[in-house]
Amino acid sequence: MAALGWKIHGDGKRVEPGAVVSTDERLSWPRTIGIGMQHVVAMFGATFLVPLLTGFSPATTLFFSAIGTIGFLLITRNRLPSYLGSSFAFIAPITAASASGGQSVAVGGILVTGLVLAVIGVVVHFAGPRWIDVTMPPIVTGTIVALIGLNLAPAAWNNFKVFPVTAFVTLASIILITVLFKGIIGRLAILLGVIIGYVVATVRGEVDFAPVSDASWFGLPEFVTPTFDVAVLGLFVPVVLVLVAENVGHVKSVAAMTGKNLDDLTGRALFADGLATTFAGIGGGSGTTTYAENIGVMAATRVYSTAAYWVAGATALVLSMSPKFGALIATIPAGVLGGATTMLYGMIGILGARIWVQNKVDFSDPVNLTTAAVPLVVGIANFTWVIGDVTFEGIALGTASALVIYHVMRNIARWRGTSQEPASPASVPGGEEMADR
């Protein structure tokens, strides 16, 4: 394992134009600590939003998030900068599992998801990441990500309508901050929007501070012992595919920004996230994933030093040891969550479309068109299939249908030579229609 040491970048005080602070470098410790704390702020809103929406303990989630981040840095040999925050892909299965079997059953599902992802990480490490691209091409990955976000739309509305004025102010604040401010402020639009919404909710008397005054300043978070119910495990299986896509995308993004080939770390990244999610499942935290919010911080600061993430992990660990801090976060009312999730869930859905656009998916190909069309309806409408004691809902069925439809149709099309047939309906453009314009 590589030594946990970093070279000083330049004079340790500034980053010259066109230069970046590489993963094995750092600025002076005061600057590194400041950037590390900025990473905590960046992940904060989204990481805490998941336990608030699912009824989990924010402090416990933050505790396992910190442990997972430190473990990720160790497993990836201190070469891959990343913060492991709460994955939004877990919201729907956690909500469904908690409703049917309680929080411990949901925690058991998270644990199993982590174990499966860890196994995939080991396979990828020894077999190489190529088979992931074959199994989950962009049309499939984008569809799965999109249907998970859109499947959550009713949850956003349920929170929004509780305190609609506060929800509207929160959503409007996020939208305006995004376009009014440049740099890190614009990138923290969701967090700042939540803060503005919280202030409005406080003025309107929608916040109960009693749990905060009763909580102690220091102490361990509350842990939950997992239990297992086969009937709900099917809800969590699709999450594994999303976590694979997110981790692979993270590795490729960091590689592109730093100019380094990091493909050899793909298996380690998957294993590390799987292990972090497993630990979260053992004690009652939300499942983890690599965070795009922190990639934004790296892009804005041009500092890719893993030293900053060690600071972020340590800071998050200290904050998780304050029950009063966790109780304060838990006071965020439904209206604020409704406004924020209207944006967040929609963003998850559009991220799926972004995967299609970035990879130039051809929707004049009937295989691609059908692979997206059917699973999206299954996911949005939340189709349900009950087999004995096991229930498969929209996300699970949508994910399965995306994989099955793509691979079955693609193989038949190749066998029959029909892959170049125009898509139906015939009005779907193939791209040439706009060439002359």
CSV table of all heavy atoms in Angstrom, one decimal, residues 256-320:
chain,number,residue,atom,x,y,z
A,256,ALA,N,-10.2,12.0,-16.3
A,256,ALA,CA,-10.2,13.1,-17.4
A,256,ALA,C,-9.7,14.4,-16.8
A,256,ALA,O,-9.0,15.2,-17.5
A,256,ALA,CB,-11.7,13.2,-17.9
A,257,MET,N,-10.1,14.7,-15.6
A,257,MET,CA,-9.7,16.0,-15.0
A,257,MET,C,-8.2,16.1,-14.6
A,257,MET,O,-7.6,17.1,-14.7
A,257,MET,CB,-10.6,16.3,-13.8
A,257,MET,CG,-12.0,16.6,-14.1
A,257,MET,SD,-13.0,17.2,-12.7
A,257,MET,CE,-13.0,15.8,-11.7
A,258,THR,N,-7.6,14.9,-14.2
A,258,THR,CA,-6.2,14.9,-13.8
A,258,THR,C,-5.3,14.5,-14.9
A,258,THR,O,-4.1,14.6,-14.7
A,258,THR,CB,-6.1,14.0,-12.6
A,258,THR,OG1,-6.5,12.6,-13.0
A,258,THR,CG2,-6.9,14.4,-11.4
A,259,GLY,N,-5.8,13.9,-16.0
A,259,GLY,CA,-4.9,13.5,-17.0
A,259,GLY,C,-4.2,12.2,-16.7
A,259,GLY,O,-3.2,11.9,-17.3
A,260,LYS,N,-4.7,11.4,-15.8
A,260,LYS,CA,-4.1,10.1,-15.4
A,260,LYS,C,-5.1,9.0,-15.8
A,260,LYS,O,-6.3,9.1,-15.7
A,260,LYS,CB,-3.9,10.1,-13.9
A,260,LYS,CG,-2.9,11.1,-13.4
A,260,LYS,CD,-2.6,10.9,-11.9
A,260,LYS,CE,-1.5,11.8,-11.4
A,260,LYS,NZ,-1.2,11.6,-9.9
A,261,ASN,N,-4.5,7.9,-16.1
A,261,ASN,CA,-5.2,6.7,-16.4
A,261,ASN,C,-5.5,5.9,-15.1
A,261,ASN,O,-4.6,5.4,-14.5
A,261,ASN,CB,-4.5,5.8,-17.4
A,261,ASN,CG,-5.3,4.6,-17.8
A,261,ASN,OD1,-6.3,4.2,-17.2
A,261,ASN,ND2,-4.9,3.9,-18.9
A,262,LEU,N,-6.7,5.9,-14.7
A,262,LEU,CA,-7.1,5.3,-13.4
A,262,LEU,C,-7.9,4.1,-13.5
A,262,LEU,O,-8.6,3.6,-12.5
A,262,LEU,CB,-7.8,6.3,-12.5
A,262,LEU,CG,-7.1,7.6,-12.2
A,262,LEU,CD1,-8.0,8.6,-11.5
A,262,LEU,CD2,-5.8,7.4,-11.4
A,263,ASP,N,-8.0,3.5,-14.7
A,263,ASP,CA,-8.8,2.3,-15.0
A,263,ASP,C,-8.5,1.2,-14.0
A,263,ASP,O,-9.4,0.4,-13.7
A,263,ASP,CB,-8.7,1.8,-16.4
A,263,ASP,CG,-9.4,2.8,-17.4
A,263,ASP,OD1,-10.2,3.6,-16.9
A,263,ASP,OD2,-9.3,2.6,-18.6
A,264,ASP,N,-7.2,1.0,-13.6
A,264,ASP,CA,-6.8,-0.1,-12.8
A,264,ASP,C,-7.4,0.1,-11.4
A,264,ASP,O,-7.4,-0.9,-10.6
A,264,ASP,CB,-5.3,-0.1,-12.7
A,264,ASP,CG,-4.7,1.1,-12.1
A,264,ASP,OD1,-5.1,2.2,-12.5
A,264,ASP,OD2,-3.8,1.0,-11.2
A,265,LEU,N,-8.0,1.2,-11.1
A,265,LEU,CA,-8.6,1.4,-9.7
A,265,LEU,C,-10.1,1.2,-9.7
A,265,LEU,O,-10.8,1.3,-8.7
A,265,LEU,CB,-8.3,2.9,-9.3
A,265,LEU,CG,-6.9,3.2,-9.0
A,265,LEU,CD1,-6.8,4.7,-8.6
A,265,LEU,CD2,-6.3,2.3,-7.9
A,266,THR,N,-10.7,0.9,-10.9
A,266,THR,CA,-12.1,0.7,-11.0
A,266,THR,C,-12.6,-0.4,-10.0
A,266,THR,O,-13.6,-0.2,-9.3
A,266,THR,CB,-12.6,0.4,-12.4
A,266,THR,OG1,-12.1,1.4,-13.3
A,266,THR,CG2,-14.1,0.2,-12.5
A,267,GLY,N,-12.0,-1.6,-10.1
A,267,GLY,CA,-12.4,-2.6,-9.2
A,267,GLY,C,-12.2,-2.3,-7.7
A,267,GLY,O,-13.1,-2.6,-6.9
A,268,ARG,N,-11.2,-1.6,-7.4
A,268,ARG,CA,-10.9,-1.2,-6.0
A,268,ARG,C,-12.0,-0.2,-5.6
A,268,ARG,O,-12.5,-0.2,-4.4
A,268,ARG,CB,-9.6,-0.5,-5.8
A,268,ARG,CG,-8.4,-1.5,-5.9
A,268,ARG,CD,-7.1,-0.8,-5.8
A,268,ARG,NE,-6.0,-1.8,-5.7
A,268,ARG,CZ,-5.5,-2.4,-4.7
A,268,ARG,NH1,-6.0,-2.1,-3.5
A,268,ARG,NH2,-4.5,-3.2,-4.7
A,269,ALA,N,-12.4,0.7,-6.5
A,269,ALA,CA,-13.4,1.7,-6.1
A,269,ALA,C,-14.8,1.0,-5.9
A,269,ALA,O,-15.5,1.4,-4.9
A,269,ALA,CB,-13.6,2.7,-7.3
A,270,LEU,N,-15.1,0.1,-6.7
A,270,LEU,CA,-16.4,-0.7,-6.5
A,270,LEU,C,-16.3,-1.4,-5.2
A,270,LEU,O,-17.3,-1.5,-4.4
A,270,LEU,CB,-16.6,-1.6,-7.7
A,270,LEU,CG,-16.9,-0.9,-9.0
A,270,LEU,CD1,-16.9,-2.0,-10.1
A,270,LEU,CD2,-18.3,-0.3,-9.0
A,271,PHE,N,-15.2,-2.1,-4.9
A,271,PHE,CA,-15.1,-2.9,-3.7
A,271,PHE,C,-15.2,-2.0,-2.5
A,271,PHE,O,-15.8,-2.3,-1.5
A,271,PHE,CB,-13.8,-3.6,-3.7
A,271,PHE,CG,-13.5,-4.4,-2.4
A,271,PHE,CD1,-14.2,-5.6,-2.2
A,271,PHE,CD2,-12.6,-3.9,-1.5
A,271,PHE,CE1,-14.0,-6.3,-1.0
A,271,PHE,CE2,-12.4,-4.6,-0.3
A,271,PHE,CZ,-13.1,-5.8,-0.1
A,272,ALA,N,-14.5,-0.8,-2.5
A,272,ALA,CA,-14.5,0.1,-1.4
A,272,ALA,C,-15.9,0.7,-1.1
A,272,ALA,O,-16.3,0.7,0.0
A,272,ALA,CB,-13.5,1.3,-1.7
A,273,ASP,N,-16.6,1.0,-2.2
A,273,ASP,CA,-18.0,1.5,-2.0
A,273,ASP,C,-18.9,0.4,-1.5
A,273,ASP,O,-19.8,0.6,-0.6
A,273,ASP,CB,-18.5,2.1,-3.3
A,273,ASP,CG,-19.8,2.8,-3.1
A,273,ASP,OD1,-20.2,3.2,-1.9
A,273,ASP,OD2,-20.5,3.1,-4.1
A,274,GLY,N,-18.7,-0.8,-2.0
A,274,GLY,CA,-19.4,-2.0,-1.5
A,274,GLY,C,-19.2,-2.2,0.0
A,274,GLY,O,-20.1,-2.5,0.8
A,275,LEU,N,-17.9,-2.1,0.4
A,275,LEU,CA,-17.6,-2.3,1.8
A,275,LEU,C,-18.2,-1.2,2.7
A,275,LEU,O,-18.7,-1.5,3.8
A,275,LEU,CB,-16.1,-2.3,1.9
A,275,LEU,CG,-15.5,-3.0,3.2
A,275,LEU,CD1,-15.9,-4.5,3.3
A,275,LEU,CD2,-14.0,-2.9,3.2
A,276,ALA,N,-18.1,0.0,2.2
A,276,ALA,CA,-18.7,1.1,2.9
A,276,ALA,C,-20.2,1.0,3.1
A,276,ALA,O,-20.7,1.2,4.2
A,276,ALA,CB,-18.4,2.5,2.2
A,277,THR,N,-20.9,0.5,2.0
A,277,THR,CA,-22.3,0.3,2.1
A,277,THR,C,-22.6,-0.8,3.0
A,277,THR,O,-23.6,-0.8,3.8
A,277,THR,CB,-22.9,0.1,0.7
A,277,THR,OG1,-22.6,1.2,-0.1
A,277,THR,CG2,-24.4,-0.2,0.7
A,278,THR,N,-21.8,-1.9,3.0
A,278,THR,CA,-22.0,-3.0,3.9
A,278,THR,C,-21.9,-2.6,5.4
A,278,THR,O,-22.7,-2.9,6.2
A,278,THR,CB,-20.9,-4.1,3.6
A,278,THR,OG1,-21.1,-4.5,2.3
A,278,THR,CG2,-21.1,-5.3,4.6
A,279,PHE,N,-20.9,-1.8,5.7
A,279,PHE,CA,-20.7,-1.3,7.1
A,279,PHE,C,-21.9,-0.4,7.5
A,279,PHE,O,-22.4,-0.5,8.6
A,279,PHE,CB,-19.4,-0.5,7.2
A,279,PHE,CG,-18.2,-1.3,7.5
A,279,PHE,CD1,-17.2,-1.3,6.6
A,279,PHE,CD2,-18.2,-2.2,8.6
A,279,PHE,CE1,-16.0,-2.0,6.8
A,279,PHE,CE2,-17.1,-2.9,8.8
A,279,PHE,CZ,-16.0,-2.9,7.9
A,280,ALA,N,-22.4,0.4,6.5
A,280,ALA,CA,-23.6,1.2,6.8
A,280,ALA,C,-24.8,0.4,7.1
A,280,ALA,O,-25.6,0.6,8.0
A,280,ALA,CB,-23.9,2.1,5.6
A,281,GLY,N,-24.9,-0.8,6.4
A,281,GLY,CA,-26.0,-1.7,6.6
A,281,GLY,C,-25.9,-2.4,7.9
A,281,GLY,O,-26.9,-2.9,8.5
A,282,ILE,N,-24.7,-2.6,8.4
A,282,ILE,CA,-24.5,-3.3,9.7
A,282,ILE,C,-25.0,-2.4,10.9
A,282,ILE,O,-25.5,-2.9,11.9
A,282,ILE,CB,-23.0,-3.6,9.9
A,282,ILE,CG1,-22.6,-4.7,9.0
A,282,ILE,CG2,-22.7,-4.0,11.4
A,282,ILE,CD1,-21.1,-5.0,9.0
A,283,GLY,N,-24.9,-1.1,10.7
A,283,GLY,CA,-25.2,-0.2,11.8
A,283,GLY,C,-26.3,0.8,11.7
A,283,GLY,O,-26.6,1.5,12.6
A,284,GLY,N,-27.0,0.8,10.5
A,284,GLY,CA,-28.1,1.7,10.3
A,284,GLY,C,-27.9,3.0,9.6
A,284,GLY,O,-28.6,4.0,9.7
A,285,GLY,N,-26.8,3.0,8.7
A,285,GLY,CA,-26.6,4.2,7.9
A,285,GLY,C,-27.1,4.0,6.5
A,285,GLY,O,-27.4,2.9,6.1
A,286,SER,N,-27.3,5.1,5.8
A,286,SER,CA,-27.7,5.0,4.4
A,286,SER,C,-26.6,4.5,3.5
A,286,SER,O,-25.4,4.7,3.8
A,286,SER,CB,-28.1,6.4,3.9
A,286,SER,OG,-29.2,6.9,4.6
A,287,GLY,N,-26.9,3.8,2.4
A,287,GLY,CA,-25.9,3.3,1.5
A,287,GLY,C,-25.1,4.4,0.9
A,287,GLY,O,-25.7,5.5,0.7
A,288,THR,N,-23.9,4.2,0.5
A,288,THR,CA,-23.0,5.2,0.0
A,288,THR,C,-22.7,5.1,-1.5
A,288,THR,O,-22.9,4.1,-2.1
A,288,THR,CB,-21.7,5.2,0.8
A,288,THR,OG1,-21.0,4.0,0.5
A,288,THR,CG2,-21.9,5.4,2.3
A,289,THR,N,-22.2,6.2,-2.0
A,289,THR,CA,-21.7,6.3,-3.4
A,289,THR,C,-20.8,7.4,-3.5
A,289,THR,O,-20.7,8.3,-2.7
A,289,THR,CB,-22.9,6.4,-4.4
A,289,THR,OG1,-22.4,6.3,-5.7
A,289,THR,CG2,-23.5,7.8,-4.3
A,290,THR,N,-20.0,7.4,-4.6
A,290,THR,CA,-19.1,8.5,-4.9
A,290,THR,C,-20.0,9.8,-5.3
A,290,THR,O,-21.0,9.6,-5.9
A,290,THR,CB,-18.2,8.2,-6.1
A,290,THR,OG1,-19.0,7.7,-7.1
A,290,THR,CG2,-17.2,7.2,-5.7
A,291,TYR,N,-19.5,11.0,-4.9
A,291,TYR,CA,-20.3,12.1,-5.0
A,291,TYR,C,-19.9,13.1,-6.1
A,291,TYR,O,-18.8,13.6,-6.1
A,291,TYR,CB,-20.3,12.9,-3.6
A,291,TYR,CG,-21.6,12.7,-2.9
A,291,TYR,CD1,-22.4,11.6,-3.1
A,291,TYR,CD2,-22.1,13.7,-2.1
A,291,TYR,CE1,-23.6,11.4,-2.4
A,291,TYR,CE2,-23.3,13.6,-1.5
A,291,TYR,CZ,-24.1,12.4,-1.6
A,291,TYR,OH,-25.3,12.3,-1.0
A,292,ALA,N,-20.9,13.4,-7.0
A,292,ALA,CA,-20.6,14.4,-8.0
A,292,ALA,C,-20.5,15.8,-7.5
A,292,ALA,O,-19.8,16.6,-8.1
A,292,ALA,CB,-21.8,14.4,-9.0
A,293,GLU,N,-21.1,16.1,-6.3
A,293,GLU,CA,-20.9,17.4,-5.7
A,293,GLU,C,-19.5,17.7,-5.4
A,293,GLU,O,-19.0,18.8,-5.6
A,293,GLU,CB,-21.7,17.5,-4.4
A,293,GLU,CG,-23.2,17.5,-4.6
A,293,GLU,CD,-23.9,16.2,-4.7
A,293,GLU,OE1,-23.2,15.2,-5.0
A,293,GLU,OE2,-25.1,16.1,-4.6
A,294,ASN,N,-18.7,16.7,-5.0
A,294,ASN,CA,-17.3,16.9,-4.7
A,294,ASN,C,-16.4,17.0,-5.9
A,294,ASN,O,-15.4,17.6,-5.9
A,294,ASN,CB,-16.9,15.8,-3.7
A,294,ASN,CG,-17.6,15.9,-2.4
A,294,ASN,OD1,-18.6,15.2,-2.2
A,294,ASN,ND2,-17.2,16.7,-1.5
A,295,ILE,N,-16.9,16.3,-7.0
A,295,ILE,CA,-16.2,16.5,-8.3
A,295,ILE,C,-16.3,18.0,-8.7
A,295,ILE,O,-15.4,18.6,-9.2
A,295,ILE,CB,-16.8,15.6,-9.3
A,295,ILE,CG1,-16.3,14.2,-9.1
A,295,ILE,CG2,-16.4,16.1,-10.7
A,295,ILE,CD1,-16.5,13.3,-10.3
A,296,GLY,N,-17.5,18.6,-8.4
A,296,GLY,CA,-17.6,20.0,-8.7
A,296,GLY,C,-16.7,20.9,-7.9
A,296,GLY,O,-16.1,21.9,-8.5
A,297,VAL,N,-16.5,20.6,-6.7
A,297,VAL,CA,-15.5,21.3,-5.9
A,297,VAL,C,-14.1,21.2,-6.4
A,297,VAL,O,-13.3,22.1,-6.5
A,297,VAL,CB,-15.5,20.8,-4.4
A,297,VAL,CG1,-14.4,21.5,-3.6
A,297,VAL,CG2,-16.9,21.1,-3.8
A,298,MET,N,-13.7,20.0,-6.8
A,298,MET,CA,-12.4,19.7,-7.4
A,298,MET,C,-12.2,20.5,-8.7
A,298,MET,O,-11.2,21.1,-9.0
A,298,MET,CB,-12.2,18.2,-7.7
A,298,MET,CG,-12.0,17.4,-6.4
A,298,MET,SD,-11.4,15.7,-6.7
A,298,MET,CE,-12.8,15.0,-7.3
A,299,ALA,N,-13.3,20.5,-9.5
A,299,ALA,CA,-13.2,21.3,-10.8
A,299,ALA,C,-13.1,22.8,-10.5
A,299,ALA,O,-12.4,23.5,-11.3
A,299,ALA,CB,-14.5,21.0,-11.6
A,300,ALA,N,-13.8,23.3,-9.5
A,300,ALA,CA,-13.7,24.7,-9.2
A,300,ALA,C,-12.4,25.1,-8.6
A,300,ALA,O,-11.9,26.2,-8.9
A,300,ALA,CB,-14.9,25.1,-8.2
A,301,THR,N,-11.8,24.3,-7.8
A,301,THR,CA,-10.6,24.6,-7.1
A,301,THR,C,-9.3,24.2,-7.8
A,301,THR,O,-8.2,24.6,-7.5
A,301,THR,CB,-10.6,24.0,-5.6
A,301,THR,OG1,-10.6,22.6,-5.7
A,301,THR,CG2,-11.7,24.5,-4.8
A,302,ARG,N,-9.5,23.2,-8.7
A,302,ARG,CA,-8.4,22.5,-9.4
A,302,ARG,C,-7.4,21.8,-8.4
A,302,ARG,O,-6.3,21.6,-8.7
A,302,ARG,CB,-7.6,23.5,-10.3
A,302,ARG,CG,-8.4,24.0,-11.5
A,302,ARG,CD,-7.6,25.1,-12.2
A,302,ARG,NE,-7.4,26.3,-11.4
A,302,ARG,CZ,-6.4,27.1,-11.6
A,302,ARG,NH1,-5.4,26.8,-12.5
A,302,ARG,NH2,-6.3,28.2,-10.8
A,303,VAL,N,-8.0,21.4,-7.3
A,303,VAL,CA,-7.2,20.7,-6.3
A,303,VAL,C,-7.8,19.3,-6.2
A,303,VAL,O,-9.0,19.1,-5.7
A,303,VAL,CB,-7.3,21.4,-4.9
A,303,VAL,CG1,-6.6,20.6,-3.8
A,303,VAL,CG2,-6.7,22.8,-5.0
A,304,TYR,N,-7.0,18.3,-6.6
A,304,TYR,CA,-7.5,16.9,-6.6
A,304,TYR,C,-6.7,16.1,-5.5
A,304,TYR,O,-6.8,14.9,-5.5
A,304,TYR,CB,-7.2,16.3,-8.0
A,304,TYR,CG,-7.9,17.1,-9.0
A,304,TYR,CD1,-7.3,18.0,-9.8
A,304,TYR,CD2,-9.3,16.9,-9.3
A,304,TYR,CE1,-7.9,18.8,-10.8
A,304,TYR,CE2,-9.9,17.6,-10.3
A,304,TYR,CZ,-9.2,18.5,-11.0
A,304,TYR,OH,-9.9,19.3,-12.0
A,305,SER,N,-6.1,16.8,-4.6
A,305,SER,CA,-5.4,16.1,-3.5
A,305,SER,C,-6.2,15.2,-2.7
A,305,SER,O,-7.3,15.6,-2.2
A,305,SER,CB,-4.7,17.2,-2.7
A,305,SER,OG,-4.1,16.6,-1.6
A,306,THR,N,-5.8,14.0,-2.5
A,306,THR,CA,-6.5,13.1,-1.5
A,306,THR,C,-6.4,13.6,-0.1
A,306,THR,O,-7.2,13.2,0.7
A,306,THR,CB,-6.0,11.6,-1.7
A,306,THR,OG1,-4.6,11.6,-1.5
A,306,THR,CG2,-6.4,11.1,-3.0
A,307,ALA,N,-5.4,14.4,0.2
A,307,ALA,CA,-5.2,14.9,1.5
A,307,ALA,C,-6.5,15.7,2.0
A,307,ALA,O,-6.9,15.6,3.1
A,307,ALA,CB,-4.0,15.8,1.6
A,308,ALA,N,-7.1,16.4,1.0
A,308,ALA,CA,-8.3,17.2,1.4
A,308,ALA,C,-9.5,16.2,1.8
A,308,ALA,O,-10.3,16.6,2.6
A,308,ALA,CB,-8.7,18.0,0.2
A,309,TYR,N,-9.5,15.1,1.2
A,309,TYR,CA,-10.6,14.1,1.5
A,309,TYR,C,-10.3,13.4,2.8
A,309,TYR,O,-11.3,13.0,3.5
A,309,TYR,CB,-10.7,13.1,0.4
A,309,TYR,CG,-11.4,13.7,-0.8
A,309,TYR,CD1,-10.7,14.2,-1.9
A,309,TYR,CD2,-12.8,13.7,-0.9
A,309,TYR,CE1,-11.4,14.8,-3.0
A,309,TYR,CE2,-13.5,14.2,-2.0
A,309,TYR,CZ,-12.8,14.8,-3.0
A,309,TYR,OH,-13.4,15.3,-4.0
A,310,TRP,N,-9.1,13.3,3.2
A,310,TRP,CA,-8.8,12.8,4.6
A,310,TRP,C,-9.3,13.8,5.6
A,310,TRP,O,-9.9,13.4,6.6
A,310,TRP,CB,-7.3,12.6,4.8
A,310,TRP,CG,-6.8,11.3,4.2
A,310,TRP,CD1,-6.3,11.1,3.0
A,310,TRP,CD2,-6.8,10.0,4.9
A,310,TRP,NE1,-6.0,9.7,2.8
A,310,TRP,CE2,-6.3,9.1,4.0
A,310,TRP,CE3,-7.3,9.6,6.1
A,310,TRP,CZ2,-6.2,7.7,4.3
A,310,TRP,CZ3,-7.1,8.2,6.4
A,310,TRP,CH2,-6.6,7.3,5.5
A,311,VAL,N,-9.1,15.1,5.3
A,311,VAL,CA,-9.7,16.1,6.2
A,311,VAL,C,-11.2,16.1,6.2
A,311,VAL,O,-11.8,16.2,7.3
A,311,VAL,CB,-9.2,17.5,5.7
A,311,VAL,CG1,-9.9,18.6,6.5
A,311,VAL,CG2,-7.7,17.7,5.8
A,312,ALA,N,-11.8,15.9,5.0
A,312,ALA,CA,-13.3,15.8,4.9
A,312,ALA,C,-13.8,14.7,5.7
A,312,ALA,O,-14.8,14.8,6.5
A,312,ALA,CB,-13.7,15.7,3.5
A,313,GLY,N,-13.2,13.5,5.6
A,313,GLY,CA,-13.6,12.3,6.4
A,313,GLY,C,-13.5,12.5,7.9
A,313,GLY,O,-14.4,12.2,8.6
A,314,ALA,N,-12.4,13.1,8.3
A,314,ALA,CA,-12.2,13.4,9.7
A,314,ALA,C,-13.2,14.4,10.2
A,314,ALA,O,-13.7,14.2,11.3
A,314,ALA,CB,-10.8,13.9,10.0
A,315,THR,N,-13.5,15.4,9.5
A,315,THR,CA,-14.4,16.5,9.9
A,315,THR,C,-15.8,15.9,10.0
A,315,THR,O,-16.5,16.1,11.0
A,315,THR,CB,-14.4,17.6,8.9
A,315,THR,OG1,-13.1,18.2,8.7
A,315,THR,CG2,-15.4,18.7,9.3
A,316,ALA,N,-16.2,15.1,9.0
A,316,ALA,CA,-17.5,14.4,9.1
A,316,ALA,C,-17.7,13.5,10.3
A,316,ALA,O,-18.7,13.4,10.9
A,316,ALA,CB,-17.8,13.7,7.8
A,317,LEU,N,-16.6,12.8,10.6
A,317,LEU,CA,-16.6,11.9,11.8
A,317,LEU,C,-16.8,12.6,13.1
A,317,LEU,O,-17.6,12.2,13.9
A,317,LEU,CB,-15.3,11.1,11.8
A,317,LEU,CG,-15.2,10.0,12.8
A,317,LEU,CD1,-16.2,8.9,12.5
A,317,LEU,CD2,-13.8,9.3,12.8
A,318,VAL,N,-16.1,13.8,13.2
A,318,VAL,CA,-16.3,14.6,14.4
A,318,VAL,C,-17.7,15.1,14.5
A,318,VAL,O,-18.3,15.1,15.6
A,318,VAL,CB,-15.3,15.8,14.4
A,318,VAL,CG1,-15.6,16.8,15.5
A,318,VAL,CG2,-13.8,15.3,14.5
A,319,LEU,N,-18.3,15.6,13.4
A,319,LEU,CA,-19.6,16.1,13.4
A,319,LEU,C,-20.7,15.0,13.8
A,319,LEU,O,-21.7,15.3,14.5
A,319,LEU,CB,-20.0,16.8,12.1
A,319,LEU,CG,-19.3,18.1,11.7
A,319,LEU,CD1,-19.6,18.5,10.3
A,319,LEU,CD2,-19.6,19.2,12.7
A,320,SER,N,-20.4,13.8,13.4
A,320,SER,CA,-21.3,12.7,13.6
A,320,SER,C,-21.4,12.4,15.1
A,320,SER,O,-22.3,11.7,15.5
A,320,SER,CB,-21.0,11.5,12.8
A,320,SER,OG,-19.8,10.9,13.3
